[in-house]
Amino acid sequence: MECACCMMSSSSGKMAALCGGDGCLGFTGEISDAQGKKLTDLPAELLEFILCSPVLSYLDIASVSCSCKRLHDVCHGRGKVWEHQYKLRWPRLLKYYRQLECCDWLKEFQTRQSVGLQIRKTIESFSKRFFVEVPCVGQVLGDSFKELESLGAPEHFCEDELISILNSDKRKSLTLKYYAKKILYFLRQQNVLKSLKGFLGRSPDQHSPLEGAVLIDQYCNPLAEISLESISTQLEEITARIKKTLQMRNPTHPSLREADEDLEDLVLQRQVVCALNSVLYEQLQYKGNESDYYNPLNSYLHQVLTRRTGIPISLSVLYLTLAKKLGVKLEPVNFPNHFLLRWCQRSERSSDIYDYVYIDAFGKGKQLTAKECEYLIGHQVTSDYYSAVSTEEMLLRMVGNLLNIGKRGEGSEKSYQLLRDSLDLYLTINPDNVQYLLLQARLYFHLGIWPEKVLDILQHIQALDPSQHGAVGYLVQHTLEHIQHKSHPAEPEVKRRSDKENREVQYSTGLIMRHKRSGYNCVVYGWDAKCTMGLEWITTMRVHQLPNGPNQPFYSVLVPDGTSRYAAQDNLELHPSPLEISHPEVGRYFSEFRDSHYTANEQLQICYPEDLAHTTRITQELYSTLSTGSEQEGPAEPQMHPAVKSQSC
């Protein structure tokens, strides 16, 4: 950090340069030229113009404003100078200010700066506190963010700082970004939950299926920029195309007018539905995703609009919304295994299921009779299944689909996250569902996170359904043991490659490797001198068939597909052209990618104190040129030493 005198000198130099180059700073702090005219004699408007030059930083302005009363007055908090500095530093925040709003920009600048420093301080403490066991972010944020609340700062200051961290140099500050991403994920989800609770608190006739579906989308994709406004804009564009098609068929159709009124005439309704099908399925080529049905992207509206494919319920939300905009009232039908819409063929609402046509949005808007609907699922159903359902029930069905996809996952980080997110949503809509409360408690227990919340969930289950005492008692006992264990955390194990038992370990943390048999790329984040897995795993993975069996070093590696694997030294080789490994946990262990390897962060270096030197030495020996990264527009590919190339063949 520069001292005040240095900053003053630096600022004066910049000011002199702006004024023609002959300025000098007198004892009064005023800048004058050779003829004795003072800079401070200039009108305030011109001084503001000069001080808003892009070459002046906020440090320069702070320093200049201390030089004399005249410049201090020009740089007052509500003036253009600090407004310019604020807008220059944090352009993303401008949307939160009204155009003609009178604001104390200096105070806003100071508050935003304080929030940024506090957030970085909080994030930097996370790696030291949670390296061994990363908890649920909500479990640890409470105390850390009480200090932020005491600043009285708006919430978007916090989010803006987190985004600034994530948008900084892609290859550096990886650990800082790792935790910043988790915090931003959590904070945005909390905001969506607030919005969802507000949505559910309205009367049912004010529930919009589109708004509810967007909230689900936002909660499951909190790092994506998704808004009801952007989704609605895209639907307005589709509506305009439908109106254009409708106008060609009936130039006087009432739906062409701006008034949003329900059509009573069935002939006019049929014209709308026909035009809707033509645009959505023929012109825009929307379709049901039969080949990849269980992809969660099919349930997210922003992805459905981008990819133009989805599942019955997501396509039904779009279809229902578009039809409503054009005066045709359709109702959602929670049909088993295949969500449908129903369209009444009478002028008045009817309770007879045969008075409706059923629309299959997944099947290109095909219109079905009640009997034909049963052919979709291959068996008969009672008339109850043809009834219209509420928006709330529709949302539960959407979330239930995501929950089932999460259950189908193979224990990956993504499937666990989807399961957690969908359980949160389901229990926000239906908080007393014992089945899903128990599933949530078991999931948190299995993942070893937030044991205090597990106890709260179990207590709630016991109050709702005392018959669950067996399952509840088992989980309570083991959760208390977990809490007791966490109160006495074990020190991280330190492994030195110079120790006698570790001398066969060839590779070190941070090296980019390739699996000889499976072909995947990976980065080493840990190792054991011998295989530490149980006999069942060793047998299943056929470790005994390797030349050195289980009595050889094994490495914990991160793979680009999001998995973490345990690979034998026999099966690994140094990658001939090192490349970044896009795994979500990279930042937990590494602070930077340096073209040929990853640099271990402080916590990983504590566990493997001799690895960084080994990784640096081995990469320098193997690769003849190393990209400087910051000196080039893009990363140069390191060239392998000729001797190493022959070993790789």
Side-chain angles (χ1 to χ4, degrees), residues 131 493-497 502 505 507-509 524-528 554 556 589 600-613:
F131 176 72
E493 183 182 1
V494 176
K495 298 179 182 178
R496 301 180 185 277
R497 19 189 348 100
N502 297 329
V505 177
Y507 307 123
S508 48
T509 54
V524 176
Y525 71 93
W527 49 258
D528 298 306
F554 271 70
S556 298
Y589 304 102
N601 61 22
E602 290 182 24
Q603 282 62 52
L604 192 62
Q605 287 185 49
I606 291 171
C607 297
Y608 300 91
E610 298 172 354
D611 271 31
L612 182 58

Side-chain angles (χ1 to χ4, degrees), residues 510-514 522-523 574-575 578-579 581 593 596-598:
L511 288 174
I512 313 295
M513 312 298 294
R514 183 167 63 187
C522 57
V523 58
L574 288 160
H575 201 289
L579 70 172
I581 304 298
F593 177 66
S596 61
H597 65 281
Y598 280 91

Side-chain angles (χ1 to χ4, degrees), residues 423-556:
L423 278 169
D424 288 344
L425 287 167
Y426 199 101
L427 292 168
T428 298
I429 302 170
N430 185 6
D432 294 336
N433 186 298
V434 172
Q435 176 190 353
Y436 287 130
L437 282 168
L438 196 54
L439 178 59
Q440 187 180 54
R442 283 173 172 157
L443 177 65
Y444 277 37
F445 176 77
H446 173 73
L447 296 176
I449 58 175
W450 216 340
E452 294 80 9
K453 184 169 182 178
V454 173
L455 292 178
D456 289 340
I457 295 169
L458 294 173
Q459 187 176 9
H460 185 44
I461 293 170
Q462 190 65 36
L464 291 171
D465 185 2
S467 68
Q468 297 288 340
H469 66 274
V472 168
Y474 173 85
L475 287 171
V476 166
Q477 178 185 344
H478 287 81
T479 301
L480 290 172
E481 290 174 1
H482 182 204
I483 293 173
Q484 180 67 22
H485 175 73
K486 286 183 69 176
S487 65
H488 304 287
E491 289 295 319
E493 183 182 1
V494 176
K495 298 179 182 178
R496 301 180 185 277
R497 19 189 348 100
S498 58
D499 290 347
K500 184 178 179 181
E501 65 270 19
N502 297 329
R503 288 179 183 173
E504 291 184 12
V505 177
Q506 293 181 13
Y507 307 123
S508 48
T509 54
L511 288 174
I512 313 295
M513 312 298 294
R514 183 167 63 187
H515 197 278
K516 295 177 185 177
R517 295 169 61 191
S518 302
Y520 61 75
N521 305 321
C522 57
V523 58
V524 176
Y525 71 93
W527 49 258
D528 298 306
K530 308 289 181 187
C531 181
T532 59
M533 301 299 281
L535 181 60
E536 183 180 352
W537 185 90
I538 290 172
T539 303
T540 303
M541 302 304 292
R542 301 177 182 176
V543 173
H544 288 292
Q545 294 181 12
L546 295 171
N548 293 296
N551 295 316
Q552 62 172 308
F554 271 70
Y555 299 84
S556 298

Side-chain angles (χ1 to χ4, degrees), residues 599-624:
T599 300
N601 61 22
E602 290 182 24
Q603 282 62 52
L604 192 62
Q605 287 185 49
I606 291 171
C607 297
Y608 300 91
E610 298 172 354
D611 271 31
L612 182 58
H614 181 270
T615 297
T616 303
R617 180 178 58 78
I618 201 170
T619 52
Q620 287 176 346
E621 290 175 357
L622 293 179
Y623 305 109
S624 57

Side-chain angles (χ1 to χ4, degrees), residues 169-187:
D169 191 328
K170 181 184 175 186
R171 298 176 163 208
K172 296 182 178 179
S173 304
L174 300 181
T175 301
L176 194 68
K177 290 175 185 174
Y178 173 76
Y179 290 101
K181 186 175 181 180
K182 284 184 174 294
I183 295 169
L184 182 61
Y185 197 102
F186 172 78
L187 293 179

Side-chain angles (χ1 to χ4, degrees), residues 269-280:
Q269 290 186 41
R270 289 191 186 101
Q271 290 174 352
V272 168
V273 172
C274 185
L276 195 162
N277 286 342
S278 175
V279 170
L280 202 62

